[in-house]
Amino acid sequence: MKIKYYIDKFVVFLCLFLLGIFLTLQYQSAKSFADDSNRKDSSEIKEYIEKLELEREENKLLLEENEKLEKDFENSKIKYYKELNNYEIEKMLSERDILKRYSGLTDVIGEGVIVTIMDAEEITDDLELSLIHDMDIVRIINVLIENDAAAISINNERYLNASEIICSGPTVRINRNYYPAPYIIAAVGDADVIYANLEKSNIISLLRNYGIYVGIEKKDEIEISRYSGSVDWMISQLKEVEES
Amino acid sequence: MKIFKTIALTLVCIMLGIMLSLQYKTIGANEKIMTEEYERLEDVKNQLLTEIRKNEELREKNKELQDQIENFQSASSNESQKIEMLQTEIERLQIFSGFTDVIGSGVRIKLKRGKHEYSSIRDTDILKLVNELKATGAQAISVNGQRLLAMSEIRKAGNYIIINGVQTAEPFEVLAISDKDKLEAAITMTGGIVDELELYMDLEIEKSDEIVIKKVENEDLIFNIDLLKPAE
């Protein structure tokens, strides 16, 4: 009888002991979360956002400078070569112009379509399906090209011969730059044809099915900027084959 | 007395249970909020890195441009040198836009339909493989001899796949030029694109120092020069 009494006592003691431990644990985790990590993180984010804004402002200035320099250089070159008054050189100049237009190194303007895609607002059963993936963008672009788009950009990043569109965490990498959703795809081409066929395409209905927002807009005039970076990273390993 | 004790014990145990589940839940919820915040932070960090890289590149490019302008305008370069500069620029543009045959280190990937009759190779499979190759730094890519450019479509039509307006069919040979070891490592990593495709097709990967990729042939089918009006 005496042993049972002690066992009972011990069980009660153990239960209360554990209760106490959990109580403090619960309190502590709630407290530490509230006043430590939370505030630290949001102030860290603020700091980064401020830095980001500074960099963006600088980017604007640098782009303006770049534009001016390129224009100056271009003008002085053209002026010089034209003054040579040589038919061969005229031909070279027009070849240069065409090549630049083909390869995305010229700002182009024309009618076209703007496609905006955003992650689903309400997450359905499967989180993965509610988010935009690299292949979704690749497939949309492929539809644009099938319908004879002449120039394409994604979030203002010109789509070039070697452009990759690849998921990297919550962002997508294009021309080695990282962009979060939403994605704005601009295409110059026959607006009616592209619009109609895009609306009919499998990929668009698939995305809409999963709750991903896809907006397609026809425009009379879209300007697509040239690629303003250096193209070295896209040709550094290519050697011309010597003709034999 | 004994009943009283039992009730007390039960009560304590119930409370213990409630506390336990509560604790578990808060920790779970906190973790969720923390990961969300962490993701947002990562997001902003990534954007910042992008902007910093863009600015660095622009600064470099602007400096380069200034040097080029000075060089061009200075009397030190004579007429023939200036014409040579134009020639070099055009050659670079030809390489960049796919108008010359190019050679370099890279990989040759052969794709063949797997054992199952139903598993024909889809356009999206090729699109995906090509995109992975680009992500690893491939600078020139061709599929069955068709050089892939920005405006090249890859579209299934019946048993064929149409690339640059040309019909091609299985087996497919994909060529890519870049660092061959890096390319191979990236596509063959565990859970990577090759693992995924190998489920329903046969793949053969071969590294080589001399991958030759032909220039684009039917440029009229790829480019739409009428639509490429320069903006001024």
Side-chain angles (χ1 to χ4, degrees):
Chain A
M1 261 340 232
K2 203 126 199 226
I3 291 170
K4 191 162 184 304
Y5 174 77
Y6 280 124
I7 289 178
D8 274 4
K9 269 257 157 94
F10 182 68
V11 168
V12 175
F13 167 74
L14 206 75
C15 284
L16 287 170
F17 183 69
L18 279 171
L19 192 63
I21 288 179
F22 278 122
L23 213 85
T24 42
L25 247 167
Q26 165 77 8
Y27 176 72
Q28 273 201 353
S29 77
K31 187 166 167 268
S32 76
F33 178 72
D35 60 29
D36 181 35
S37 62
N38 198 354
R39 276 183 210 153
K40 193 177 129 233
D41 259 20
S42 59
S43 76
E44 214 179 332
I45 285 185
K46 246 187 214 154
E47 206 178 290
Y48 278 111
I49 288 177
E50 271 166 28
K51 277 190 201 160
L52 187 62
E53 268 156 21
L54 282 178
E55 288 291 331
R56 287 206 168 128
E57 268 165 41
E58 200 184 344
N59 188 267
K60 243 191 215 162
L61 293 176
L62 284 168
L63 266 178
E64 272 168 29
E65 193 192 340
N66 178 264
E67 204 120 324
K68 200 187 156 291
L69 284 170
E70 282 206 345
K71 224 176 200 166
D72 286 354
F73 192 28
E74 189 71 16
N75 289 343
S76 61
K77 269 200 284 195
I78 301 277
K79 188 166 167 266
Y80 178 82
Y81 290 127
K82 289 232 156 128
E83 273 170 7
L84 292 176
N85 243 334
N86 179 322
Y87 176 68
E88 283 302 311
I89 287 175
E90 288 282 332
K91 248 173 59 182
M92 280 164 79
L93 282 179
S94 67
E95 188 186 357
R96 172 175 172 274
D97 177 57
I98 298 268
L99 286 171
K100 281 177 89 167
R101 272 155 80 182
Y102 278 163
S103 55
L105 302 178
T106 316
D107 298 338
V108 293
I109 197 164
E111 65 165 298
V113 166
I114 288 182
V115 186
T116 309
I117 44 178
M118 257 183 267
D119 291 332
E121 261 172 35
E122 273 175 48
I123 286 154
T124 45
D125 331 329
D126 198 338
L127 175 70
E128 279 295 297
L129 295 176
S130 314
L131 300 176
I132 299 160
H133 290 90
D134 40 14
M135 279 310 288
D136 302 330
I137 303 177
V138 170
R139 288 177 67 184
I140 290 174
I141 286 179
N142 200 43
V143 176
L144 296 173
I145 298 169
E146 276 170 27
N147 290 289
D148 290 331
I152 294 172
S153 74
I154 307 120
N155 289 18
N156 250 337
E157 196 71 63
R158 186 73 176 255
Y159 186 64
L160 306 165
N161 295 343
S163 293
E164 81 287 13
I165 299 175
I166 203 93
C167 274
S168 169
T171 55
V172 169
R173 202 182 93 206
I174 305 156
N175 291 345
R176 303 189 302 169
N177 292 325
Y178 297 87
Y179 296 96
Y183 299 100
I184 297 161
I185 306 170
V188 164
D190 186 325
D192 292 321
V193 172
I194 293 178
Y195 181 87
N197 288 321
L198 207 52
E199 281 285 351
K200 278 192 295 200
S201 68
N202 285 336
I203 180 67
I204 298 296
S205 43
L206 201 73
L207 291 178
R208 283 184 174 154
N209 228 349
Y210 292 130
I212 288 173
Y213 171 81
V214 184
I216 310 175
E217 232 183 309
K218 284 192 267 187
K219 292 263 184 193
D220 291 334
E221 198 175 90
I222 298 178
E223 188 174 331
I224 295 186
S225 313
R226 66 183 189 281
Y227 179 67
S228 55
S230 161
V231 300
D232 279 343
W233 65 277
M234 291 178 273
I235 56 173
S236 57
Q237 313 211 35
L238 304 177
K239 275 193 280 303
E240 202 175 335
V241 176
E242 303 295 335
E243 277 175 50
S244 51
Chain B
M1 266 323 256
K2 208 174 172 208
I3 281 191
F4 178 71
K5 244 172 155 180
T6 320
I7 289 173
L9 200 63
T10 319
L11 219 70
V12 170
C13 283
I14 288 174
M15 272 183 73
L16 191 62
I18 292 174
M19 290 299 296
L20 209 90
S21 59
L22 217 93
Q23 167 76 7
Y24 180 72
K25 262 186 148 167
T26 20
I27 287 182
N30 287 2
E31 260 174 9
K32 200 172 158 239
I33 294 173
M34 298 250 279
T35 39
E36 268 169 21
E37 270 177 5
Y38 178 73
E39 268 175 17
R40 215 171 95 73
L41 187 66
E42 283 297 291
D43 208 47
V44 176
K45 272 187 190 168
N46 265 331
Q47 286 183 56
L48 182 63
L49 283 179
T50 293
E51 291 302 318
I52 290 175
R53 250 254 331 283
K54 270 188 182 168
N55 286 347
E56 264 169 24
E57 268 182 21
L58 269 172
R59 240 174 264 132
E60 233 167 79
K61 210 189 166 201
N62 287 353
K63 207 175 152 276
E64 210 178 284
L65 268 170
Q66 263 158 351
D67 290 347
Q68 282 175 331
I69 293 173
E70 260 170 50
N71 195 12
F72 191 82
Q73 287 171 339
S74 73
S76 63
S77 60
N78 57 29
E79 190 181 312
S80 69
Q81 274 173 320
K82 280 178 180 146
I83 293 173
E84 209 172 288
M85 271 167 69
L86 182 61
Q87 191 63 51
T88 321
E89 196 190 345
I90 290 175
E91 270 163 26
R92 262 171 70 92
L93 280 170
Q94 280 174 333
I95 292 177
F96 180 52
S97 43
F99 281 77
T100 41
D101 296 350
V102 286
I103 186 168
S105 131
V107 292
R108 174 181 287 113
I109 307 163
K110 285 188 179 137
L111 307 176
K112 254 194 327 217
R113 183 188 291 234
K115 288 178 217 92
H116 312 292
E117 268 311 298
Y118 56 84
S119 56
S120 74
I121 296 170
R122 297 167 302 178
D123 43 6
T124 44
D125 297 329
I126 297 179
L127 270 177
K128 200 165 184 178
L129 175 63
V130 164
N131 196 42
E132 293 286 335
L133 289 168
K134 286 186 197 165
T136 322
Q139 299 183 338
I141 299 174
S142 77
V143 179
N144 284 9
Q146 289 298 323
R147 172 95 192 247
L148 288 189
L149 301 177
M151 294 303 140
S152 299
E153 87 286 16
I154 299 181
R155 172 168 55 102
K156 192 154 176 98
N159 285 324
Y160 297 99
I161 285 185
I162 297 178
I163 302 170
N164 291 348
V166 174
Q167 275 189 355
T168 75
E170 290 176 47
F172 294 104
E173 187 188 57
V174 180
L175 303 177
I177 296 181
S178 183
D179 183 318
K180 60 178 180 184
D181 297 316
K182 229 174 94 188
L183 275 181
E184 198 214 18
I187 57 173
T188 55
M189 72 176 190
T190 315
I193 180 78
V194 167
D195 275 3
E196 194 184 324
L197 295 179
E198 240 169 7
L199 292 175
Y200 49 97
M201 64 178 83
D202 292 332
L203 279 106
E204 252 175 67
I205 302 165
E206 192 192 313
K207 291 192 279 185
S208 164
D209 283 319
E210 293 190 327
I211 296 282
V212 175
I213 293 185
K214 295 263 178 237
K215 65 182 175 202
V216 16
E217 267 155 16
N218 34 357
E219 62 236 44
D220 296 342
L221 286 174
I222 305 168
F223 301 110
N224 217 330
I225 194 74
D226 299 337
L227 288 174
L228 288 168
K229 288 193 204 83
E232 212 52 69

